[in-house]
Amino acid sequence: MKKDKLVIAGREFSSRFLLGTGRYPNPFVQNEAIRAAEAEILTFAIRRVNLENPGEDAILQHLDQTSFTYLPNTSGASNAEEAVRIARLARASGISDWIKVEISANEKTLLPDPIETLKATETLVKEGFTVLPYTSDDPILAKHLEEAGAAAVMPGGSPIGTGLGILNPYNIGLIVEEANVPIIVDAGLGSASDITQAMELGVDGVLMNTPVARAKDPVRMAEAMKLAIQAGRMSFKAGRIPKKPYATASSQFEEYIVK
């Protein structure tokens, strides 16, 4: 399993845990959680960053910028035009040319807008960004995003921050089956069991923020989620037994005839 790397846009990562940096009680807990998670890719909302001086930003100044791949996101954008503008600002400030496209038109559900997400992905790919779009669990849309040049596709398990887990495992499984790029479940997960289920469906990684940052003990939860990712991945690679409608004895008994 040590050689089982996550590969995105030609870059190898030992960790399949992508971690958000918002909503922690304080920077110390945030950094301890990142350390416990052993995450290599960190995401944050660009609108929360001081783009005029990223090196002294309240979020980024607490991180060792040489140790992580930054995946800034366009949270707060309500259409493709806004998302593209935010991404350009992030790249111009020197933060990263990796971008998580996140476009929500409905403030109540925060569900991704499929049309605007696809439009933004097409534009940013043409401009040379490494694009990881957050999308719904629609297999057809996921394929369109891949064909548009997304480096990875990130379907939500359920709405952001709900902790409802994976509401439609069938769709996630279909997305994985048809994909030629990494599939990373993003949003709606709440517990280690949710994470294990996602990984057992064959996804390549998991992105989360709220389940860790808002846990009673974020550092312990980060470690639990890391172990769940590892266990789920190992289980998927091992291959589960098929489901059957009736029982099968674990030991086969031979019939002895007493004479």
Side-chain angles (χ1 to χ4, degrees), residues 21 28 47 63 65 75 104 128 169 174 217:
T21 58
F28 174 78
R47 60 193 174 94
L63 301 173
Q65 298 186 33
S75 173
S104 302
L174 284 179
D217 186 338

Side-chain angles (χ1 to χ4, degrees), residues 1-191:
M1 292 296 292
K2 291 183 179 180
K3 295 181 180 180
D4 184 31
K5 304 286 188 179
L6 170 62
V7 181
I8 302 176
R11 297 183 59 180
E12 291 189 350
F13 300 93
S14 297
S15 173
R16 295 176 179 273
F17 193 167
L18 289 71
L19 186 60
T21 58
R23 309 194 72 188
Y24 289 89
N26 55 64
F28 174 78
V29 172
Q30 170 192 282
N31 284 0
E32 287 300 300
I34 292 170
R35 190 173 295 110
E38 297 183 6
E40 296 171 272
I41 302 175
L42 302 180
T43 186
F44 47 84
I46 299 170
R47 60 193 174 94
R48 294 171 49 226
V49 174
N50 176 15
L51 295 178
E52 293 183 0
N53 199 342
E56 297 183 7
D57 181 80
I59 299 171
L60 300 182
Q61 68 175 336
H62 299 289
L63 301 173
D64 179 2
Q65 298 186 33
T66 62
S67 300
F68 304 104
T69 294
Y70 287 161
L71 178 63
N73 65 66
T74 65
S75 173
S78 59
N79 56 55
E81 184 178 352
E82 288 182 17
V84 169
R85 178 178 56 81
I86 292 170
R88 289 170 177 164
L89 288 172
R91 182 164 68 178
S93 69
I95 293 176
S96 179
D97 61 358
W98 283 43
I99 192 75
K100 172 188 170 183
V101 171
E102 184 175 331
I103 302 174
S104 302
N106 187 311
E107 293 184 2
K108 180 178 180 180
T109 65
L110 294 180
L111 290 172
D113 184 311
I115 296 173
E116 297 299 308
T117 298
L118 182 57
K119 285 168 59 178
T121 298
E122 290 172 337
T123 299
L124 291 170
V125 167
K126 290 177 182 177
E127 294 186 9
F129 285 86
T130 297
V131 185
L132 288 77
Y134 162 58
T135 181
S136 65
D137 61 0
D138 179 355
I140 304 302
L141 177 58
K143 198 62 181 177
H144 282 313
L145 289 166
E146 176 188 323
E147 292 169 348
V153 177
M154 305 201 296
S158 52
I160 292 173
T162 60
L164 292 172
I166 297 179
L167 297 181
N168 198 335
Y170 177 76
N171 274 20
I172 299 294
L174 284 179
I175 292 171
V176 169
E177 184 179 334
E178 296 296 323
N180 294 307
V181 296
I183 301 299
I184 298 167
V185 169
D186 176 10
L189 306 178
S191 67

